[in-house]
Coordinates of all heavy atoms in Angstrom, one line a residue:
G1 N 10.9 15.3 11.2 CA 10.7 15.1 12.6 C 10.2 13.8 12.9 O 9.8 12.9 12.0
R2 N 10.1 13.6 14.2 CA 9.7 12.2 14.7 C 8.2 12.0 14.4 O 7.7 10.7 14.4 CB 9.9 12.1 16.2 CG 11.4 12.1 16.6 CD 11.6 11.8 18.0 NE 11.0 12.7 18.9 CZ 11.4 13.8 19.2 NH1 12.6 14.3 18.7 NH2 10.7 14.7 20.0
D3 N 7.4 13.0 14.1 CA 6.0 12.8 13.7 C 5.9 12.1 12.4 O 4.8 11.5 12.0 CB 5.3 14.1 13.7 CG 5.8 15.1 12.8 OD1 7.0 14.9 12.3 OD2 5.1 16.2 12.5
A4 N 7.0 12.1 11.6 CA 7.0 11.4 10.3 C 7.7 10.1 10.4 O 7.8 9.4 9.4 CB 7.8 12.3 9.3
A5 N 8.1 9.6 11.6 CA 8.8 8.4 11.7 C 7.9 7.4 12.4 O 6.9 7.6 13.0 CB 10.0 8.6 12.7
V6 N 8.3 6.1 12.2 CA 7.5 4.9 12.8 C 8.4 4.3 13.7 O 9.5 3.8 13.4 CB 7.1 4.0 11.6 CG1 6.5 2.8 12.1 CG2 6.2 4.7 10.6
V7 N 7.9 4.1 15.0 CA 8.7 3.4 16.0 C 8.5 1.9 15.8 O 7.5 1.4 15.7 CB 8.2 3.8 17.4 CG1 8.8 2.9 18.5 CG2 8.4 5.3 17.7
R8 N 9.7 1.2 15.8 CA 9.7 -0.2 15.6 C 10.5 -0.8 16.7 O 11.7 -0.4 16.9 CB 10.4 -0.6 14.3 CG 9.6 -0.1 13.1 CD 10.2 -0.6 11.7 NE 9.8 0.1 10.6 CZ 8.6 0.0 10.0 NH1 7.7 -0.9 10.5 NH2 8.2 0.7 9.0
T9 N 9.9 -1.6 17.6 CA 10.5 -2.2 18.8 C 11.0 -3.6 18.5 O 11.7 -4.1 19.4 CB 9.5 -2.1 19.9 OG1 8.3 -2.8 19.6 CG2 9.2 -0.6 20.3
G10 N 10.7 -4.2 17.4 CA 11.1 -5.5 17.3 C 12.5 -5.7 16.8 O 13.3 -4.7 16.6
R11 N 13.0 -6.9 16.8 CA 14.4 -7.2 16.5 C 14.4 -8.2 15.4 O 13.8 -9.3 15.5 CB 15.2 -7.6 17.7 CG 16.6 -8.0 17.5 CD 17.3 -8.3 18.8 NE 16.5 -8.6 19.9 CZ 16.2 -9.9 20.3 NH1 16.6 -10.9 19.5 NH2 15.4 -10.1 21.3
P12 N 15.1 -8.0 14.3 CA 15.1 -9.0 13.2 C 15.8 -10.4 13.7 O 16.7 -10.3 14.5 CB 16.0 -8.3 12.1 CG 15.9 -6.9 12.4 CD 15.9 -6.8 13.9
T13 N 15.4 -11.4 13.0 CA 16.0 -12.7 13.2 C 17.5 -12.6 13.0 O 17.9 -12.1 11.9 CB 15.4 -13.8 12.5 OG1 14.0 -13.9 12.8 CG2 16.1 -15.2 12.7
G14 N 18.4 -13.1 13.8 CA 19.8 -13.0 13.6 C 20.5 -11.9 14.3 O 21.7 -11.9 14.5
W15 N 19.7 -10.9 14.8 CA 20.3 -9.8 15.5 C 20.1 -10.1 17.0 O 19.0 -10.3 17.5 CB 19.6 -8.4 15.2 CG 19.8 -7.9 13.8 CD1 19.3 -8.5 12.6 CD2 20.5 -6.8 13.4 NE1 19.7 -7.8 11.5 CE2 20.5 -6.7 12.0 CE3 21.3 -5.8 14.1 CZ2 21.1 -5.7 11.3 CZ3 21.8 -4.8 13.4 CH2 21.7 -4.7 12.0
L16 N 21.2 -10.1 17.7 CA 21.3 -10.6 19.1 C 20.6 -9.5 20.1 O 20.6 -8.4 19.8 CB 22.7 -10.9 19.6 CG 23.2 -12.1 18.8 CD1 24.7 -12.3 19.3 CD2 22.5 -13.4 18.9
P17 N 20.0 -10.0 21.2 CA 19.4 -9.1 22.2 C 20.4 -8.3 23.0 O 21.6 -8.6 22.9 CB 18.5 -10.1 23.0 CG 19.3 -11.4 23.0 CD 19.9 -11.5 21.6
G18 N 19.8 -7.4 23.7 CA 20.7 -6.6 24.6 C 20.6 -5.1 24.2 O 19.5 -4.5 24.5
F19 N 21.6 -4.7 23.6 CA 21.6 -3.2 23.2 C 20.4 -2.9 22.3 O 19.9 -1.8 22.5 CB 22.9 -2.9 22.5 CG 23.0 -1.5 22.0 CD1 23.3 -0.4 22.8 CD2 22.8 -1.2 20.6 CE1 23.3 0.9 22.3 CE2 22.8 0.1 20.1 CZ 23.1 1.1 21.0
L20 N 20.1 -3.6 21.3 CA 19.1 -3.3 20.4 C 17.7 -3.1 21.2 O 16.9 -2.3 20.7 CB 18.9 -4.4 19.3 CG 20.1 -4.6 18.4 CD1 19.8 -5.6 17.4 CD2 20.5 -3.2 17.7
D21 N 17.5 -3.9 22.2 CA 16.3 -3.7 22.9 C 16.3 -2.5 24.0 O 15.3 -2.2 24.5 CB 16.0 -5.0 23.8 CG 16.0 -6.2 22.9 OD1 15.6 -6.2 21.8 OD2 16.6 -7.3 23.3
A22 N 17.5 -2.0 24.2 CA 17.6 -0.9 25.1 C 17.5 0.5 24.4 O 17.7 1.5 25.0 CB 18.9 -0.9 25.8
I23 N 17.2 0.4 23.1 CA 17.2 1.7 22.3 C 15.8 1.7 21.6 O 15.2 0.7 21.3 CB 18.3 1.5 21.1 CG1 19.6 1.6 21.7 CG2 18.0 2.7 20.1 CD1 20.1 2.8 22.5
E24 N 15.2 2.9 21.6 CA 14.0 3.2 20.9 C 14.3 3.7 19.5 O 15.1 4.6 19.4 CB 13.1 4.2 21.6 CG 11.8 4.3 21.0 CD 10.8 5.2 21.9 OE1 11.3 5.6 22.9 OE2 9.7 5.5 21.5
W25 N 13.8 3.0 18.5 CA 14.2 3.3 17.1 C 12.9 3.8 16.4 O 11.8 3.2 16.4 CB 14.6 2.0 16.3 CG 15.6 1.1 17.0 CD1 15.5 0.3 18.1 CD2 17.0 1.3 16.7 NE1 16.8 -0.2 18.4 CE2 17.7 0.3 17.5 CE3 17.8 2.0 15.7 CZ2 19.1 0.1 17.5 CZ3 19.1 1.7 15.6 CH2 19.8 0.9 16.5
A26 N 13.0 5.1 15.9 CA 11.9 5.7 15.2 C 12.4 5.8 13.7 O 13.2 6.8 13.5 CB 11.4 7.0 15.7
W27 N 11.9 5.0 12.8 CA 12.4 5.0 11.4 C 11.7 6.0 10.4 O 10.5 6.0 10.5 CB 12.3 3.5 10.9 CG 13.2 2.6 11.6 CD1 12.9 2.0 12.9 CD2 14.6 2.2 11.3 NE1 14.0 1.2 13.2 CE2 15.1 1.3 12.3 CE3 15.4 2.6 10.2 CZ2 16.3 0.8 12.3 CZ3 16.6 2.1 10.2 CH2 17.1 1.1 11.2
L28 N 12.4 6.5 9.6 CA 11.9 7.2 8.4 C 11.9 6.4 7.2 O 12.8 5.5 7.1 CB 12.6 8.6 8.2 CG 12.6 9.6 9.4 CD1 13.7 10.6 9.3 CD2 11.2 10.2 9.4
D29 N 11.2 6.8 6.2 CA 11.2 6.1 4.9 C 11.0 4.6 4.9 O 11.5 3.8 4.1 CB 12.6 6.3 4.2 CG 13.1 7.7 4.3 OD1 12.2 8.6 3.9 OD2 14.2 8.0 4.5
D30 N 10.0 4.2 5.8 CA 9.7 2.8 5.9 C 10.9 1.9 6.3 O 11.0 0.7 5.8 CB 9.0 2.2 4.7 CG 7.6 3.0 4.4 OD1 6.9 3.2 5.6 OD2 7.3 3.3 3.3
G31 N 11.9 2.4 6.9 CA 13.1 1.7 7.2 C 12.9 0.8 8.4 O 11.9 0.7 9.0
G32 N 14.0 0.1 8.7 CA 14.1 -0.9 9.8 C 15.4 -1.6 9.8 O 16.2 -1.5 8.8
L33 N 15.7 -2.3 10.9 CA 17.0 -3.0 10.9 C 17.1 -4.1 10.0 O 18.2 -4.6 9.6 CB 17.2 -3.6 12.4 CG 17.5 -2.5 13.5 CD1 17.4 -3.2 14.9 CD2 18.8 -1.8 13.3
D34 N 15.9 -4.6 9.5 CA 15.9 -5.7 8.5 C 15.7 -5.1 7.1 O 15.6 -5.9 6.1 CB 14.8 -6.7 8.8 CG 13.4 -6.0 8.9 OD1 13.4 -4.7 9.0 OD2 12.4 -6.7 9.1

């Protein structure tokens, strides 16, 4: 569940703005776009 996830609102260098900023990402397993 989301209680086990970590919300990350940043965007990695090289990933362009727009859609990525319009989405809330809650990652499991210490994941992330980078």
Side-chain angles (χ1 to χ4, degrees):
R2 293 190 302 280
D3 56 348
V6 176
V7 174
R8 302 187 191 281
T9 57
R11 176 170 26 88
T13 301
W15 293 67
L16 297 178
F19 175 78
L20 296 182
D21 304 322
I23 297 295
E24 187 171 358
W25 308 81
W27 293 86
L28 296 164
D29 310 317
D30 296 322
L33 289 171
D34 54 352

